[in-house]
Amino acid sequence: MASDNEENNSRPGSALATEPYSIFDRRQKGLIVFLVATAATFSGFASNIYFPALGTIADDFHVTVELINLTVTSYLIFQGLAPSLWGPLSDVKGRRVAYFFTFLVFLGACVGLAESKNYATLIILRSLQSSGSASTIAVGSAVIGDITTREERGGYMGIFQAGLLAPVAVGPVIGGALAASLGWRSIFWFLTIYGGIFLIILILSLPETLRSTVANGGVNPSSLVAKYPLNLYQKLTKVKFTPQPQPPKPTKRAKIDVIGPIRILFSKQAISLILFLAIYYAVWQMSITAMSVLFEERYNLSETQIGLTFIANGAGSIIGTLVTGRILDADYRRVKSKYEAPMSEVGSEAGSDRTPPTELDELNFPLEKARLRLLPILALLQCASIVTFGWTTQYRVHISVPIITTFFTGWTVVSIVSVVTTYLIDIFPEQKAASSASVNLARCLLAAGGTSIVTLIINAVGVGWTFTIAIAAQLVALVLVGIQWRFGSKWRVDADRARRQTEKEEQ
């Protein structure tokens, strides 16, 4: 479990007291975050670039828009399921191995989609495409967890989220332009070319960061896959470090724990926050899935124009997560300084019978106050933007109004994802990719259900009431944040004690 174990190597008396948490300097960390954020764009591109062409594809395959919406649903289902395999794989075999195989799956699916001849092939290959692309988010989050401490993690996660969300802004624009000029199949040829070029760049530029393999990056691994380009980063870094021997082989062979993300999802420490996030993410996906058809029917927009309407949503997502990342870091430093002040006084009191700070004190660090303060504000702002989107679209208010609401919806929901993901990486430091995969599992499966029925609900009760019902569910979900705030610290302590007891029994 979490305490500040990731910073233990800076404590006096530690075997690694003089060693940095990561040997990568600021410039190198920036490059690594850029690479993993760009890798994560493929999930968003493959999803969002597709939206402006939904009506065209339905006409081409002679099926209803509702059936084409099911390809969005299948994409979301596998976007949730696939990281449960690739995330644990990267936690055991390494980040580079996971990236290589996920991109191979993605590229194969893109070629097949470009040549698909019927609806059945389309829905199967969209699922396969999602299985490859979606896992880049879980693995990328884990890479950032590998190279950053808690104090800087929020900012880097903000940059990562901003990078991976760029497709939300530009994906539909590119998709609309390609579908209008070259046909919808050109969308998948574009993804094939883009993916193939980037895979080569990734192999040449991204170092292995899995800490069980390379520690803080100062290890010279025997595996060729892990050795390059890590050795170049070691030569060029400005951080002083001592080359370390390879970590000793564990007494037990590490297993790829496919059900690890499911255990995290249903653990007391995580389930409240993940369910809260999943509900807000699902409502967001429902709104942007419905947006294409609503703007076409109610405002008579073309494919290219529909693509342009997604820019506001993407811009809000990018700006919001960058700002939120900085606030997360500032909040953490503020809470940590308040927490450490009385702790230092304990150690300096002459003749005091009070116990000096211990690892349990660190485990009791008020992490919930440091990470979760923003969630109610973000949640209420998203509720306001969603209900405004619903009713202004219902009454065909000038299109600028619903478009502006999507800016704030994008800002808030992606900031919520950033906050919760950062918190989970903090409390599950040995299962970084698995914890991110657990978030994907819940949010994508719930979003899949939402997108599959949103058109049916709109047809039954109208756009305004559809999203009014949605925000009612969101307001109820706010209670889950309160539960985590109240009991989160106790649950972390209990889980750590249980883990220690299990380890003693196994010895």
Side-chain angles (χ1 to χ4, degrees):
M1 277 300 300
S3 67
D4 280 337
N5 289 340
E6 62 195 23
E7 296 172 4
N8 283 352
N9 55 2
S10 62
R11 294 194 200 115
S14 169
L16 300 174
T18 60
E19 286 301 298
Y21 178 73
S22 172
I23 65 116
F24 304 109
D25 60 34
R26 187 177 184 85
R27 175 175 49 90
Q28 291 176 333
K29 286 180 180 178
L31 175 59
I32 292 170
V33 172
F34 171 77
L35 289 169
V36 298
T38 304
T41 63
F42 286 88
S43 180
F45 262 126
S47 176
N48 289 278
I49 201 172
Y50 184 67
F51 287 138
L54 292 179
T56 303
I57 296 172
D59 293 339
D60 198 15
F61 285 133
H62 307 292
V63 296
T64 63
V65 172
E66 286 77 14
L67 281 177
I68 292 298
N69 279 349
L70 287 180
T71 67
V72 178
T73 302
S74 68
Y75 187 95
L76 288 167
I77 290 173
F78 281 86
Q79 192 177 47
L81 294 175
S84 296
L85 170 63
W86 297 115
L89 174 71
S90 81
D91 282 337
V92 175
K93 298 297 183 181
R95 313 306 185 195
R96 283 167 57 83
V97 170
Y99 272 127
F100 178 74
F101 285 108
T102 56
F103 269 94
L104 285 185
V105 171
F106 174 77
L107 292 172
C110 286
V111 173
L113 283 164
E115 295 293 330
S116 58
K117 304 299 182 185
N118 55 62
Y119 174 76
T121 303
L122 182 73
I123 199 167
I124 291 170
L125 289 177
R126 278 288 284 175
S127 302
L128 187 63
Q129 183 190 44
S130 176
S131 300
S133 65
S135 304
T136 56
I137 297 176
V139 180
S141 298
V143 169
I144 294 175
D146 291 336
I147 65 175
T148 61
T149 62
R150 283 182 180 177
E151 290 189 69
E152 61 184 348
R153 186 169 296 148
Y156 279 110
M157 282 297 295
I159 296 171
F160 172 69
Q161 293 283 345
L164 71 89
L165 289 164
V168 179
V170 302
V173 179
I174 295 172
L178 287 172
S181 58
L182 300 175
W184 64 266
R185 296 179 189 276
S186 64
I187 291 173
F188 298 109
W189 284 123
F190 167 80
L191 290 173
T192 303
I193 296 169
Y194 174 35
I197 293 172
F198 184 74
L199 177 58
I200 295 171
I201 295 173
L202 197 69
I203 291 171
L204 295 176
S205 305
L206 182 69
E208 181 57 66
T209 62
L210 180 63
R211 296 187 71 84
S212 62
T213 300
V214 300
N216 66 351
V219 167
N220 183 23
S222 58
S223 167
L224 290 176
V225 174
K227 184 186 292 289
Y228 179 86
L230 178 61
N231 53 359
L232 294 180
Y233 280 79
Q234 292 170 342
K235 292 176 181 177
L236 297 174
T237 185
K238 295 180 180 179
V239 175
K240 294 181 179 179
F241 71 98
T242 303
Q244 301 173 33
Q246 287 222 58
K249 291 184 178 181
T251 54
K252 292 184 179 180
R253 184 178 179 182
K255 295 181 179 180
I256 299 172
D257 188 6
V258 178
I259 65 170
I262 298 175
R263 280 202 303 272
I264 291 174
L265 171 60
F266 289 102
S267 66
K268 288 190 298 185
Q269 309 97 285
I271 189 170
S272 296
L273 274 188
I274 293 178
L275 183 57
F276 160 80
L277 179 152
I279 290 171
Y280 279 74
Y281 184 87
V283 172
W284 178 48
Q285 286 293 310
M286 290 168 66
S287 68
I288 62 175
T289 300
M291 197 166 85
S292 297
V293 176
L294 289 173
F295 282 0
E296 180 183 7
E297 292 177 349
R298 294 171 183 263
Y299 295 98
N300 299 315
L301 300 187
S302 67
E303 291 170 327
T304 303
Q305 290 172 326
I306 290 171
L308 292 172
T309 65
F310 282 83
I311 292 177
N313 185 50
S317 301
I318 294 170
I319 296 171
T321 191
L322 286 172
V323 173
T324 300
R326 290 184 176 274
I327 295 174
L328 276 175
D329 282 351
D331 275 356
Y332 187 89
R333 288 192 295 267
R334 176 179 55 81
V335 173
K336 186 178 181 181
S337 64
K338 289 183 179 180
Y339 177 75
E340 287 181 337
M343 293 295 101
S344 60
E345 291 173 5
V346 172
S348 62
E349 287 179 357
S352 173
D353 60 354
R354 294 172 66 187
T355 305
T358 64
E359 187 172 349
L360 185 59
D361 292 324
E362 292 171 355
L363 191 63
N364 284 329
F365 175 80
L367 188 62
E368 288 68 33
K369 292 182 179 180
R371 292 300 194 208
L372 307 183
R373 180 180 67 89
L374 288 176
L375 289 183
I377 300 170
L378 294 169
L380 292 174
L381 183 56
Q382 187 188 340
C383 287
S385 64
I386 285 291
V387 75
T388 304
F389 170 83
W391 286 107
T392 55
T393 306
Q394 171 84 26
Y395 289 107
R396 293 180 171 84
V397 175
H398 191 276
I399 194 170
S400 62
V401 179
I403 289 176
I404 289 171
T405 67
T406 66
F407 174 89
F408 292 102
T409 303
W411 178 309
T412 52
V413 72
V414 176
S415 295
I416 288 171
V417 172
S418 183
V419 170
V420 174
T421 302
T422 303
Y423 174 80
L424 291 177
I425 288 176
D426 286 346
I427 67 174
F428 295 101
E430 303 301 322
Q431 297 171 287
K432 298 180 182 74
S435 65
S436 183
S438 69
V439 172
N440 279 337
L441 180 63
R443 69 184 173 91
C444 292
L445 291 183
L446 201 59
T451 57
S452 68
I453 62 173
V454 63
T455 302
L456 298 175
I457 300 175
I458 288 173
N459 291 339
V461 300
V463 185
W465 281 113
T466 295
F467 289 105
T468 300
I469 294 168
I471 68 158
Q474 289 181 303
L475 291 173
V476 172
L478 258 177
V479 176
L480 298 170
V481 177
I483 292 172
Q484 190 73 30
W485 184 278
R486 174 66 179 82
F487 298 105
S489 179
K490 178 182 181 299
W491 289 336
R492 287 188 287 111
V493 172
D494 291 346
D496 186 75
R497 286 172 176 163
R499 177 184 62 81
R500 292 172 184 271
Q501 183 62 35
T502 301
E503 290 176 351
K504 287 180 180 179
E505 292 174 355
E506 290 178 350
Q507 290 176 351

